[in-house]
Amino acid sequence: MLTVFYLLLILTVGRCSDDLNFDMKTVGVGDDVNLTCTRETSSEYKATLFWVRLVSGNFPELLGGTFVFDYEGVNETPRMTTKQEPGTFLLQIHETKLSDTGLYYCMKINRLEMTFLNRTFLRIKGPEPDITAVFQVPPSDPVRPGDSVTLQCSVLSDSEDKTCPGEHSVYWFRAGSDESYPSLIYAHGNSGDECERSPQTHSPQKCVYSFSKNVSSSDAGTYYCAVATCGEILFGNGIKLEIEGNCRTF
């Protein structure tokens, strides 16, 4: 069952979808956080609710689960507590750490049908990030439906002044004209193979992250590279991708 659950999650989060809009919440290191998810008690006795965390480069992490109906036995993880309250399924994170920065999903599963009820990007604010610049360069050639397009994001950082552990977590978002919030379309792993450092002393480290896909006319929009580090999330300047033959204007 868990294998099917994680497979469905990866397929849903990994694809380009217009319904993966998210809210943003910022707290400081050591704060307590409450994330709520609407729980409509109904006749769907077989339906279950889950809180799941997705951090770039890591496998989706199950934080807790319950039934949609009133039930006292709720699964929970250390330092993170999930419990039922009237009309809600609550995720409590006690004494947050920088590593808690990531995307949190509340979802309902009824048989093999998965519904996202809450999507929150939780930002844990800590020491100032070591990143000095995040910039994107648009494709040089015209883009037509069916073409393979590669977007690049360059991240400059001063690794000698790094004040918090861990690698950069890199996400790609897309914003179309009919969307109020950007939608997550891809999250990079943290292999470190994308980074190189100049032999010159005190020179910044440069990491280049690429995102490729075969585009259709519906993929037009603005694509943003976002880097999460030290509890901060820094967005690039954005790339406006126009598809030739597309009558819509972005």
Side-chain angles (χ1 to χ4, degrees), residues 86 93 107 188:
I93 306 176
M107 62 185 66
H188 282 278

Side-chain angles (χ1 to χ4, degrees), residues 178-248:
D178 55 347
E179 299 173 2
S180 56
Y181 296 99
S183 299
L184 172 69
I185 56 175
Y186 188 73
H188 282 278
N190 293 326
S191 65
D193 296 337
E194 305 90 346
C195 300
E196 61 180 18
R197 184 173 178 83
S198 171
Q200 299 179 2
T201 306
H202 301 299
S203 61
Q205 175 178 267
K206 180 179 181 181
C207 302
V208 179
Y209 300 91
S210 299
F211 167 68
S212 301
K213 70 170 299 182
N214 292 324
V215 299
S216 63
S217 58
S218 62
D219 291 319
T222 303
Y223 288 75
Y224 294 93
C225 166
V227 183
T229 181
C230 295
E232 299 278 354
I233 181 166
L234 306 175
F235 282 81
N237 51 300
I239 295 298
K240 187 176 181 181
L241 185 63
E242 297 179 338
I243 313 297
E244 287 193 352
N246 188 2
C247 60
R248 297 196 303 173

Side-chain angles (χ1 to χ4, degrees), residues 136-143 148-152 211 215 223 238-243:
Q136 302 170 240
V137 179
S140 57
D141 299 324
V143 180
S148 177
V149 176
T150 298
L151 303 180
Q152 288 192 335
F211 167 68
V215 299
Y223 288 75
I239 295 298
K240 187 176 181 181
L241 185 63
E242 297 179 338
I243 313 297

Side-chain angles (χ1 to χ4, degrees), residues 30-201:
D31 291 347
D32 293 337
V33 177
N34 289 337
L35 301 180
T36 58
C37 177
T38 301
R39 181 176 60 88
E40 298 180 358
T41 57
S42 65
S43 59
E44 298 178 280
Y45 292 110
K46 295 183 179 179
T48 50
L49 297 173
F50 294 94
W51 274 105
V52 176
R53 175 170 64 178
L54 177 63
V55 177
S56 178
N58 295 337
F59 203 69
E61 181 182 0
L62 180 63
L63 303 178
T66 189
F67 296 106
V68 293
F69 56 86
D70 293 340
Y71 178 67
E72 293 182 357
V74 178
N75 298 323
E76 60 185 44
T77 58
R79 201 173 57 83
M80 297 188 185
T81 304
T82 54
K83 66 178 182 178
Q84 285 193 1
E85 289 192 346
T88 64
F89 179 40
L90 179 67
L91 170 65
Q92 293 180 314
I93 306 176
H94 305 283
E95 297 182 354
T96 57
K97 302 177 180 179
L98 287 175
S99 58
D100 292 327
T101 294
L103 288 158
Y104 290 75
Y105 294 88
C106 176
M107 62 185 66
K108 180 175 73 173
I109 297 180
N110 188 9
R111 297 181 185 275
L112 290 180
E113 181 180 353
M114 179 184 295
T115 305
F116 288 90
L117 305 179
N118 181 297
R119 313 166 189 89
T120 301
F121 189 97
L122 180 63
R123 170 195 172 209
I124 311 300
K125 187 175 182 180
E128 290 299 316
D130 61 300
I131 294 177
T132 58
V134 179
F135 59 93
Q136 302 170 240
V137 179
S140 57
D141 299 324
V143 180
R144 301 176 179 84
D147 287 351
S148 177
V149 176
T150 298
L151 303 180
Q152 288 192 335
C153 174
S154 297
V155 180
L156 299 181
S157 60
D158 191 345
S159 58
E160 292 186 357
D161 293 336
K162 195 172 183 63
T163 56
C164 54
E167 300 293 335
H168 301 150
S169 297
V170 180
Y171 303 87
W172 285 92
F173 298 93
R174 172 186 175 272
S177 61
D178 55 347
E179 299 173 2
S180 56
Y181 296 99
S183 299
L184 172 69
I185 56 175
Y186 188 73
H188 282 278
N190 293 326
S191 65
D193 296 337
E194 305 90 346
C195 300
E196 61 180 18
R197 184 173 178 83
S198 171
Q200 299 179 2
T201 306

